[in-house]
Amino acid sequence: MIRFEDVVVRYRDATRPAVGGVSFSAPRGTITAVAGPNGSGKSTLVRALIGREPLHAGRIAIDGDDVGTLSSRERARRVAVVTQREDPVFPLVVEDYVALGRFPHASVWGAPDAADREAVGDAIARADIAALARRRTDELSGGEWQRVRIARALAQRAASLVLDEPSTFLDIAHEMGVFELLHHLAGSGMTVLLVSHQLNLVARFATQVVLLHEGVVAAAGSPGEVMVASILERVYDWPLVVTCDPAVGAPALVPLRARRAP
């Protein structure tokens, strides 16, 4: 489980906190989705979780342990993270890049063992990138690169997986494939914490949704409890209706044409 307890993150010279007292839990065996407009604090929570932004107040815990007490290696053993932006310093063969996910488990001088090779092979298969395995990372399209990054995170074999906009650059088939994969991982007992703008896919797959607005929680609960027109219109400042997804019965957001000139 990942838990945020009254988390406050404040950037230097900012007039207000980027995150202002956010609390929620992402339990094992579920997909917890964090949604909200640009600048609402979603990615800041991820950066705070992995130690890239210090907490001004509050606490983040992984399975009850404060992340501030964990070494970087121990944190990486427990949580695999796919951040929103990442560029390798130099190009690598895709298979070698995915193998970097095994670093938290390696000894100082140890060569990859059978467990490492199995984890890398399984991650490549799950992310559907076998055809890319011998290509270089600088030869990949945006969508291919995103899938490779997810494979590297899966190779860590951590109990928790955190993803910041994982379907960016993906076509429909691979976007759905990523969400189906996350659904399977959660079903196997993994904690999945997902930051996403794709509210309609979130409504289909997430167990719970945390909706942020200006750094605080505007609503939290099941997709049906959060995806309410009055709540979403206030948060996104845009006219919309919420209807029913005919395929699965989940809430579905339909933006309307503007009532006024933008």
Side-chain angles (χ1 to χ4, degrees):
M1 174 185 285
I2 300 173
R3 177 158 180 79
F4 295 81
E5 300 175 357
D6 296 319
V7 168
V8 178
V9 179
R10 183 186 295 274
Y11 294 121
R12 182 179 298 177
D13 300 327
T15 57
R16 62 176 178 81
V19 174
V22 167
S23 297
F24 69 91
S25 295
R28 287 187 181 272
T30 66
I31 297 177
T32 298
V34 180
N38 293 334
S40 59
K42 305 183 300 299
S43 296
T44 298
L45 287 178
V46 176
R47 289 194 292 270
L49 171 64
I50 62 179
R52 292 187 182 175
E53 293 296 340
L55 298 186
H56 185 76
R59 178 176 182 262
I60 303 175
I62 303 172
D63 296 329
D65 295 326
D66 192 315
V67 297
T69 68
L70 303 176
S71 68
S72 297
R73 182 179 288 257
E74 179 60 27
R75 194 180 310 182
R77 287 174 178 166
R78 298 198 192 190
V79 181
V81 180
V82 179
T83 57
Q84 191 174 121
R85 299 179 183 88
E86 177 188 358
D87 292 306
V89 176
F90 50 86
L92 294 171
V93 173
V94 164
E95 189 173 24
D96 294 337
Y97 177 82
V98 175
L100 293 177
R102 300 303 299 161
F103 178 76
H105 304 276
S107 62
V108 176
W109 302 110
D113 59 16
D116 294 324
R117 291 189 290 272
E118 179 188 3
V120 170
D122 180 62
I124 287 173
R126 285 187 166 193
D128 191 22
I129 61 166
L132 308 175
R134 300 311 304 167
R135 289 173 60 185
R136 296 193 339 167
T137 53
D138 60 347
E139 299 171 345
L140 304 177
S141 70
E144 290 168 342
W145 172 232
Q146 192 74 327
R147 286 155 52 205
V148 166
R149 295 175 64 224
I150 291 172
R152 187 200 61 182
L154 293 177
Q156 288 179 231
R157 290 197 167 175
S160 298
L161 178 62
V162 178
L163 308 100
D164 192 353
E165 301 291 353
S167 60
T168 301
F169 305 120
L170 299 186
D171 59 35
I172 293 172
H174 285 107
E175 183 177 57
M176 287 296 297
V178 165
F179 274 84
E180 291 287 3
L181 172 59
L182 298 181
H183 175 76
H184 172 75
L185 294 172
S188 68
M190 181 177 280
T191 299
V192 178
L193 178 59
L194 165 71
V195 171
S196 180
H197 282 292
Q198 300 284 15
L199 281 175
N200 288 338
L201 285 177
V202 163
R204 281 188 171 196
F205 290 93
T207 309
Q208 63 173 341
V209 181
V210 179
L211 183 65
L212 298 184
H213 181 46
E214 296 183 348
V216 299
V217 176
S222 68
E225 293 170 324
V226 173
M227 287 191 62
V228 177
S230 59
I231 296 173
L232 297 179
E233 282 195 331
R234 173 173 55 83
V235 169
Y236 288 94
D237 191 26
W238 196 265
L240 55 87
V241 295
V242 175
T243 184
C244 181
D245 184 327
V248 295
L253 167 66
V254 181
L256 302 178
R257 292 292 301 271
R259 299 187 185 119
R260 61 187 186 279

